[in-house]
Amino acid sequence: MHSFLTSTVLALTLAAPAMADIRPDQAAFRDLYKELVETNTSLSVGSCTVAAERMAARLKAAGFKDDDMRIFGVPDHPKEDGLVATLNGTDPKAKAILLLAHIDVVEANRADWTRDPFVLVEEGGYFYGRGSSDDKAQAAIFTDALIRLKQAGPQLRRPLKLALTCGEETDGAFNGAEWLVTEHKDWIDAQFALNEGSVGVRDASGKKVSLGIQAGEKVYQDFRIEATNAGGHSSKPRPDNAIYSLAAALVRIGQYEFPIQFSDTTRAYFTETAKLTGGEMGAAMTRLVANPNDVEANAIVSKDATYHSMLRTTCVATRLDGGHANNALAQRAGANINCRMFPGDTIDNVLAQLVKAAADPSLNVTPTGDISPTPPPPPLTPLVYGTAKTVAQKHFPGVPMLPAMTTGATDGRFLNAAGIPTYGVPGRFSDPDGNGVHGLNERKLVEGLYEERDYLFDLIQAYGNSQ
């Protein structure tokens, strides 16, 4: 009996939120964060609209007027609305700072998860739940910041704008960020925007290794490569076979290496990472920055898949289709080639290299799906980068800040292309395994979330009062 009671108490202790030792303002933030995570915003059964309305209600309770906010969307996507809100500054001529976060999440199947993905669980020093990291942590931090600043009264020189959008995680959804840029840029226009996309690093022991500030991201673009043929009866094979032609071209594309490219961001990243890494890898990074044509250094650095991707455009076959019957020669065979293009690399340039790598003029290679903008990376200005570093010295003393380019893609590409420089703000740290983002049992370190919130609140105020 004693053993049963002990086990029961232990289980309840693990399941209960550890709130006794947090500040009152952190408790209020946790409540907002919990509501946002527990609002299912997956495309299949969830609703960004409900989440946007709930965040709007919190802003209104803090004193925002109806004229300061708008829920936006389109009729044919009624569950994918977003929210835009404005906190006015004291200088009517000052340009705004935009806080951008997406509130939609990747699908999560309850049967696969250890815990309900849409119930915020605090356990073992982590918050568990779909979106607990990507990107509802930042959406909650930004919303909470506007609430705190509104309640404190006018104090920032610049206006702050908040955009909580849907559609970042799923093709075919209503993409709120792209729509805002296209249809109502005036609602979000700003000197620059703060966004997701930057990740600091913790080692296996939990020690903070480095902060990251993201300036530039690779651009997602699919291409289709297709072979066609007259076909015929499978009992009479011919040398010109659509499947074989496609397969040979895919092998050649797989062996093709796009040339190394550097931006100011990645050059700074590899320069500083070389100092932290040391050894053969660090020396190779230093050599490669000095000479991108150093074949030996390239081979060493590119052994790491992340570094390899940061150095160049990459393209990889992800899907295959072909043939129409088991007893017939294929009349058509195709594949999807998924490319992550270096910032500023053009679709025409990547297409030309794919055609060259395929080395078969009988094949057709074309970009497919939405055509992504290909903006160059935003500059690492003293205002953005310098301020972030200065504030970080208070919150994360001794932790170096590294400029970084994400190898994935965010909605920042739409804003950068529209002339709003967009940066992935520092403050977030990731475990070596990536914390289950886009995967199972997504989690966010509790202490890390509160630290990130404190840092970003100070950073937002510093930007808001900047000249």
Side-chain angles (χ1 to χ4, degrees):
M1 185 70 172
H2 175 74
S3 176
F4 170 77
L5 287 173
T6 301
S7 299
T8 302
V9 171
L10 176 61
L12 289 172
T13 300
L14 288 174
M19 297 183 61
D21 57 349
I22 64 175
R23 307 188 309 252
D25 65 292
Q26 291 174 328
F29 165 74
R30 186 190 187 281
D31 182 67
L32 185 157
Y33 175 61
K34 175 180 170 67
E35 181 176 45
L36 195 53
V37 171
E38 294 189 349
T39 304
N40 188 330
T41 54
S42 60
L43 185 65
S44 60
V45 297
S47 175
C48 285
T49 301
V50 171
E53 290 170 345
R54 288 174 175 173
M55 294 302 101
R58 286 182 174 270
L59 292 173
K60 188 169 185 177
F64 281 81
K65 305 300 183 185
D66 289 340
D67 290 346
D68 298 326
M69 303 180 293
R70 48 169 56 90
I71 302 289
F72 68 91
V74 292
D76 51 339
H77 292 269
K79 294 184 177 181
E80 297 161 35
D81 287 2
L83 168 68
V84 170
T86 301
L87 177 69
N88 292 321
T90 60
D91 183 350
K93 296 181 180 179
K95 289 204 71 172
I97 308 298
L98 173 65
L99 311 178
L100 172 69
H102 68 84
I103 52 176
D104 60 316
V105 296
V106 171
E107 298 291 334
N109 182 2
R110 174 66 185 94
D112 296 334
W113 282 56
T114 303
R115 307 158 194 83
D116 189 329
F118 295 104
V119 173
L120 186 70
V121 175
E122 185 175 344
E123 182 181 310
Y126 285 91
F127 287 121
Y128 288 86
R130 174 56 88 215
S132 58
S133 180
D134 184 16
D135 183 33
K136 290 183 175 178
Q138 198 166 81
I141 288 171
F142 286 165
T143 305
D144 168 77
L146 256 67
I147 289 171
R148 296 166 72 190
L149 290 167
K150 183 69 172 180
Q151 292 172 335
Q155 54 182 306
L156 300 185
R157 190 178 79 85
R158 295 175 182 270
L160 291 181
K161 296 181 179 181
L162 172 70
L164 302 180
T165 63
C166 201
E168 197 270 353
E169 296 288 16
T170 311
D171 290 339
F174 166 64
N175 188 293
E178 183 179 19
W179 184 87
L180 285 169
V181 163
T182 304
E183 302 297 329
H184 286 285
K185 185 183 174 185
D186 56 308
W187 293 356
I188 60 167
D189 202 16
Q191 182 161 345
F192 59 88
L194 309 182
N195 184 32
E196 64 167 339
S198 180
V199 179
V201 177
R202 284 194 302 265
D203 64 18
S205 69
K207 178 184 176 182
K208 298 179 180 70
V209 177
S210 63
L211 282 155
I213 181 168
Q214 183 246 33
E217 60 188 63
K218 298 187 86 172
V219 175
Y220 180 111
Q221 186 63 55
D222 287 316
F223 293 82
R224 179 168 175 80
I225 180 170
E226 187 173 87
T228 56
N229 194 281
H233 202 288
S234 62
S235 67
K236 298 179 180 179
R238 308 162 29 155
D240 56 335
N241 182 294
I243 291 175
Y244 294 157
S245 296
L246 175 68
L250 291 178
V251 169
R252 290 190 290 269
I253 289 172
Q255 295 171 340
Y256 181 75
E257 192 81 301
F258 283 79
I260 288 177
Q261 299 184 66
F262 281 110
S263 65
D264 290 344
T265 300
T266 58
R267 187 175 291 105
Y269 173 84
F270 281 106
T271 298
E272 295 303 315
T273 302
K275 299 174 186 176
L276 294 173
T277 304
E280 180 186 48
M281 178 64 80
M285 289 179 180
T286 300
R287 288 165 48 196
L288 203 58
V289 169
N291 178 16
N293 296 317
D294 188 324
V295 176
E296 182 182 20
N298 179 19
I300 294 170
V301 177
S302 292
K303 288 178 182 178
D304 184 292
T306 299
Y307 296 155
H308 175 269
S309 185
M310 288 182 68
L311 287 167
R312 54 179 58 81
T313 292
T314 59
C315 293
V316 61
T318 55
R319 301 187 71 177
L320 284 169
D321 60 85
H324 60 283
N326 289 347
N327 60 354
L329 301 176
Q331 297 171 2
R332 189 179 305 275
N336 185 77
I337 306 292
N338 178 241
C339 294
R340 305 300 178 113
M341 305 188 305
F342 198 88
D345 206 353
T346 67
I347 290 176
D348 287 345
N349 183 51
V350 174
L351 175 60
Q353 291 184 74
L354 287 174
V355 170
K356 177 183 176 182
D360 186 341
S362 71
L363 303 180
N364 187 39
V365 186
T366 55
T368 61
D370 293 335
I371 304 301
S372 295
T374 58
L380 283 168
T381 63
L383 171 58
V384 175
Y385 184 40
T387 304
K389 289 183 69 175
T390 299
V391 177
Q393 290 173 5
K394 168 188 171 183
H395 291 267
F396 310 105
V399 181
M401 182 178 292
L402 305 183
M405 176 193 73
T406 181
T407 57
T410 76
D411 281 337
R413 66 191 188 276
F414 300 117
L415 276 68
N416 278 313
I420 304 175
T422 303
Y423 302 87
V425 287
R428 173 188 167 200
F429 289 88
S430 177
D431 292 333
D433 66 357
N435 295 79
V437 170
H438 284 208
L440 294 176
N441 305 315
E442 182 178 348
R443 69 188 191 278
K444 180 82 174 180
L445 188 69
V446 174
E447 180 184 20
L449 178 62
Y450 293 141
E451 289 177 342
E452 181 181 354
R453 172 178 176 260
D454 286 344
Y455 169 71
L456 289 178
F457 188 62
D458 282 356
L459 182 62
I460 288 167
Q461 292 181 88
Y463 286 145
N465 280 320
S466 64
Q467 294 300 313

